[in-house]
Amino acid sequence: MRKFMNLSILFGLLLLFCGAPEESPKVEVEKPETEVELYYGTLTEAELQRFIKALPAFKEAAAEIDKEMELLEGPDAFKSMMGQYSTLNKQIPELDAKLRAAGMSWEEFWPALGKTYMALAAVFMDSMMVQMKEQMKGQSEETVKEVMKGMEESHQVYEAVPQINKDLVKKYMIELQRVFEME
């Protein structure tokens, strides 16, 4: 019995150190888009139209929760705000059903919300850059450089927004102003 036990241990050690197959190379799996990267994705016209139609249902369902949301400021305010919004479907059980009734599921709605917000902000930032350049005419070169430096730093956040998204937002600006209640 002792010989059998020693032979089994020897055989096990040989298999473990000599006969084990080589490790297969690790395959790197592409990370899914983060929420913020998702908001730089391409917005389609059909998606924007459905979003505009579904936004009032979202606003109605989220009205109470909206009051409880943190007021955010600073350069990362958008990311934080969208992070809060991305989980609202868990806080408002009937949200997905209300959005589906309006023509868009929650899984479609919140990325469209982010892409639309980003595109709106990019359009407004582009407009502000043009206005600021006009207003700065006649100012000292040093003042212009200082002001424009700050504007350009803010503008960098919106540079990655696809032009098609900006164009769609411009095309639907009247409807967006109405549903977002912008003046």
Side-chain angles (χ1 to χ4, degrees):
M1 185 66 150
R2 199 171 203 189
K3 273 185 169 181
F4 180 70
M5 192 74 119
N6 286 339
L7 191 56
S8 295
I9 291 173
L10 179 62
F11 184 67
L13 289 172
L14 283 173
L15 277 176
L16 182 65
F17 291 108
C18 299
E22 288 184 30
E23 285 187 31
S24 59
K26 292 183 181 178
V27 178
E28 295 227 2
V29 178
E30 254 187 70
K31 211 171 59 160
E33 293 180 333
T34 64
E35 290 172 6
V36 174
E37 289 171 343
L38 186 68
Y39 303 144
Y40 289 103
T42 302
L43 182 66
T44 66
E45 189 163 4
E47 181 181 23
L48 183 59
Q49 290 170 343
R50 289 187 356 259
F51 169 77
I52 291 169
K53 185 179 173 189
L55 186 61
F58 170 77
K59 287 171 61 177
E60 180 183 318
E64 199 58 39
I65 296 286
D66 226 9
K67 294 174 189 172
E68 298 170 13
M69 293 286 230
E70 285 182 46
L71 294 177
L72 305 166
E73 295 180 12
D76 290 334
F78 174 77
K79 294 176 190 175
S80 299
M81 178 192 70
M82 292 312 293
Q84 288 180 7
Y85 275 138
S86 70
T87 60
L88 278 181
N89 65 321
K90 295 174 184 163
Q91 297 173 26
I92 307 170
E94 70 279 358
L95 182 58
D96 189 52
K98 287 183 178 183
L99 288 172
R100 285 181 189 275
M104 188 175 227
S105 72
W106 174 252
E107 288 76 26
E108 298 169 299
F109 181 83
W110 75 266
L113 174 68
K115 290 186 268 188
T116 303
Y117 269 5
M118 285 300 284
L120 277 168
V123 167
F124 289 132
M125 183 57 77
D126 290 347
S127 176
M128 284 175 52
M129 292 284 287
V130 170
Q131 288 176 3
M132 188 59 71
K133 285 179 183 176
E134 283 295 315
Q135 291 176 359
M136 296 304 293
K137 286 184 179 175
Q139 299 290 324
S140 71
E141 189 174 323
E142 188 176 304
T143 303
V144 172
K145 280 183 182 179
E146 190 65 32
V147 170
M148 292 312 292
K149 180 182 174 190
M151 290 289 289
E152 287 170 7
E153 287 172 3
S154 297
H155 188 260
Q156 286 177 350
V157 174
Y158 305 107
E159 284 180 335
V161 173
Q163 186 61 44
I164 190 167
N165 294 12
K166 294 180 197 178
D167 294 342
L168 278 172
V169 162
K170 288 176 187 175
K171 181 177 178 180
Y172 287 89
M173 187 59 77
I174 293 171
E175 289 92 341
L176 288 167
Q177 286 175 330
R178 180 183 49 78
V179 294
F180 279 119
E181 299 173 5
M182 299 183 319
E183 292 182 22

